[in-house]
Amino acid sequence: MSHVHVNGVANGSAVSQTNGNVHRAPLDASRLRLNLTDTRKTVPPPEELVFGKTYTDHMLVVYHDPVTGWSDPEIKPYGPLCIDPASSVFQYGTSCFEGMKAYLGPDGKARLFRPEQNMARLKRSAERLALPAFEEGEVLKLIKKLVTLEARWIPALKGHSLYIRPTIIGTRPSIGVHASDHSILFVIMSPTGPYFRTGAKAVSLLAINDSVRSWPGGTGGNKVATNYSPTFKPQEHAEKLGYQQVLWLLGEKITEVGAMNFFVVVQREDGDLDLITPSLDGTILPGITRQSVLALAAAHPSRSVLPGLPETVRLHAHERELTMTDLKAWSAEGRLLEAFGTGTAAIIAGIGRIGFEGKDTVLPEHESSLGPVAKALFERVTDIQEGRVEWENWGIVCE
Ligand SMILES: *Cc1c(COP(=O)(O)O)cnc(C)c1O
């Protein structure tokens, strides 16, 4: 690919136009074009929602071209994209995404949960894949606009929400092994019910280290598409052996569970509890639910008492290395009280047993699938997300 010289300086992206001005348009929400459908779909009843099956009437699309920059953003009827078969995304997997949700508050307004964190992470993921840069604040403005337009799709039931999937793909139409200077940023949305319907049991995990999800210097800390496709086969293997999800190890070290961050609650000798999750060493996806759970645990009980937890018990939050040997030792001593996964889809998923090297480590059983700490955190996080509790500007109203 030839480089264009601007004022004698090699520059692979900025290009002189015929009038002599160098101009690549930034991503600009104020240039939004609305192309609304006149045949709106029927919104399915909340109890019939299946995750990721139904999409709303509209989607947001913005194109990046290396000469002209970002196109006018467009909200248009949901439908297929037209993409050159030589596109980078098909050949080299240049794709990254976010997972976020809009919730309907008691005031009837749509809310996002810490969306600036999703935007910052999307920007980092795109940078990691050398995809074109963008102004993340502009994307958030466009998402708010899309959510407001599609507000009738947010199910008005506790535990229900509108799942939002911002995605960026590389569309450079050349099979040369090279960064993609063309891209499409799009946002689609799907109404969803609770990840676990009532009566759900704690999940069983198969801990494996013959396949790994992430490694030092790799992309595990970014939400890039190529982290996920290689997990499907090990996931099928776990299911064949009677486990629901994979616990990803790196040697002995625990990293994540499925596509969720991993937590344990351990009894301390002083009567308090340790809440432990692996530290962000580049192999762990920096989950927004993870960070929120750590912050809420640290605020108990001094700043805010978590629902159902005694004020006398402190939760000592730690980000540190966690191994299967640690887990087995705590379990043998009767100190391993809870294990759970965190992420936007399930919020908090209780873990019931972990198979490793032919033996199961079994967690104490609880009436619901969650132990008292997981349950308290689940209640508090969802109260904030669904607008019943205000906490540190985490809930952002769309209007
Ligand atoms: C998205 C994701 C998470 C959870 O992140 P949240 O911001 O809490 O939704 C955890 N692990 C992996 C691998 C993920 O892709």
Side-chain angles (χ1 to χ4, degrees):
M1 171 126 189
S2 70
H3 286 250
V4 175
H5 292 253
V6 179
N7 297 331
V9 179
N11 185 315
S13 47
V15 165
S16 254
Q17 292 181 336
T18 45
N19 63 7
N21 292 331
V22 175
H23 181 68
R24 274 190 307 138
L27 205 162
D28 180 356
S30 71
R31 283 162 45 209
L32 175 64
R33 295 181 190 204
L34 291 180
N35 166 12
L36 302 184
T37 181
D38 39 34
T39 51
R40 301 204 307 177
K41 302 175 197 171
T42 309
V43 178
E47 51 287 344
E48 282 173 25
L49 293 171
V50 176
F51 183 79
K53 198 172 150 213
T54 311
Y55 291 87
T56 66
D57 295 306
H58 300 95
M59 61 183 185
L60 168 76
V61 188
V62 201
Y63 296 85
H64 184 270
D65 175 282
V67 176
T68 51
W70 288 99
S71 70
D72 290 349
E74 188 182 10
I75 288 178
K76 59 190 272 190
Y78 182 94
L81 297 167
C82 183
I83 301 167
D84 192 297
S87 284
S88 175
V89 62
F90 299 132
Q91 310 301 329
Y92 309 117
T94 42
S95 170
C96 57
F97 61 93
E98 268 307 316
M100 50 205 286
K101 284 175 170 175
Y103 307 84
L104 205 63
D107 53 5
K109 288 181 184 162
R111 277 175 173 70
L112 297 170
F113 180 68
R114 310 185 74 184
E116 65 292 342
Q117 303 276 337
N118 295 95
M119 296 298 103
R121 194 167 65 188
L122 183 63
K123 195 181 172 71
R124 291 198 302 274
S125 298
E127 274 167 12
R128 183 65 178 82
L129 299 180
L131 283 165
F134 57 91
E135 193 50 63
E136 69 272 31
E138 297 300 300
V139 180
L140 182 52
K141 284 184 205 163
L142 293 164
I143 290 176
K144 284 181 179 170
K145 179 77 191 177
L146 184 62
V147 168
T148 308
L149 265 173
E150 303 282 60
R152 73 184 187 103
W153 284 91
I154 312 176
L157 265 186
K158 202 172 177 211
H160 291 60
S161 58
L162 185 61
Y163 186 82
I164 308 169
R165 175 54 67 93
T167 311
I168 308 178
I169 56 173
T171 49
R172 178 175 183 256
S174 161
I175 55 173
V177 183
H178 193 280
S180 180
D181 51 7
H182 291 67
S183 70
I184 306 179
L185 187 159
F186 61 90
V187 181
I188 54 176
M189 307 200 295
S190 172
T192 123
Y195 200 79
F196 297 106
R197 299 269 178 197
T198 43
K201 294 236 288 260
V203 298
S204 53
L205 310 183
L206 179 65
I208 61 168
N209 56 12
D210 52 349
S211 295
V212 297
R213 193 196 87 85
S214 59
W215 51 89
T219 55
N222 297 107
K223 243 176 155 63
V224 301
T226 46
N227 287 349
Y228 302 87
S229 43
T231 68
F232 301 157
K233 188 84 187 165
Q235 170 64 28
E236 283 184 350
H237 172 69
E239 286 170 20
K240 271 188 208 124
L241 296 187
Y243 296 89
Q244 288 164 290
Q245 299 253 316
V246 171
L247 180 63
W248 298 102
L249 306 181
L250 201 52
E252 256 281 287
K253 257 173 64 173
I254 295 169
T255 62
E256 299 200 48
V257 43
M260 290 185 280
N261 293 116
F262 182 78
F263 280 84
V264 284
V265 178
V266 183
Q267 181 68 58
R268 290 160 58 105
E269 277 168 16
D270 64 6
D272 284 351
L273 302 172
D274 281 324
L275 177 71
I276 311 172
T277 192
S279 36
L280 302 178
D281 62 358
T283 67
I284 308 290
L285 197 285
I288 296 157
T289 321
R290 171 189 181 279
Q291 206 280 325
S292 305
V293 157
L294 286 171
L296 291 170
H300 171 91
S302 56
R303 289 182 51 214
S304 154
V305 176
L306 286 171
L309 286 191
E311 282 183 51
T312 47
V313 173
R314 278 189 59 197
L315 288 173
H316 301 260
H318 307 274
E319 297 171 74
R320 51 157 271 196
E321 189 174 294
L322 206 52
T323 65
M324 283 308 296
T325 306
D326 292 332
L327 246 56
K328 283 185 284 187
W330 291 326
S331 176
E333 294 162 10
R335 296 167 58 207
L336 183 62
L337 303 183
E338 300 180 34
F340 57 88
T342 66
T344 296
I347 316 300
I348 297 192
I351 295 165
R353 66 185 169 106
I354 304 173
F356 182 53
E357 295 174 340
K359 281 178 81 178
D360 276 3
T361 297
V362 180
L363 278 292
E365 260 187 70
H366 300 280
E367 198 183 318
S368 75
S369 65
L370 302 179
V373 173
K375 192 162 193 308
L377 289 162
F378 176 83
E379 295 293 330
R380 180 54 50 86
V381 171
T382 52
D383 277 348
I384 299 169
Q385 289 173 331
E386 295 173 17
R388 290 182 295 270
V389 169
E390 289 283 329
W391 184 262
E392 295 191 344
N393 283 333
W394 283 3
I396 304 292
V397 173
C398 300
E399 22 197 15

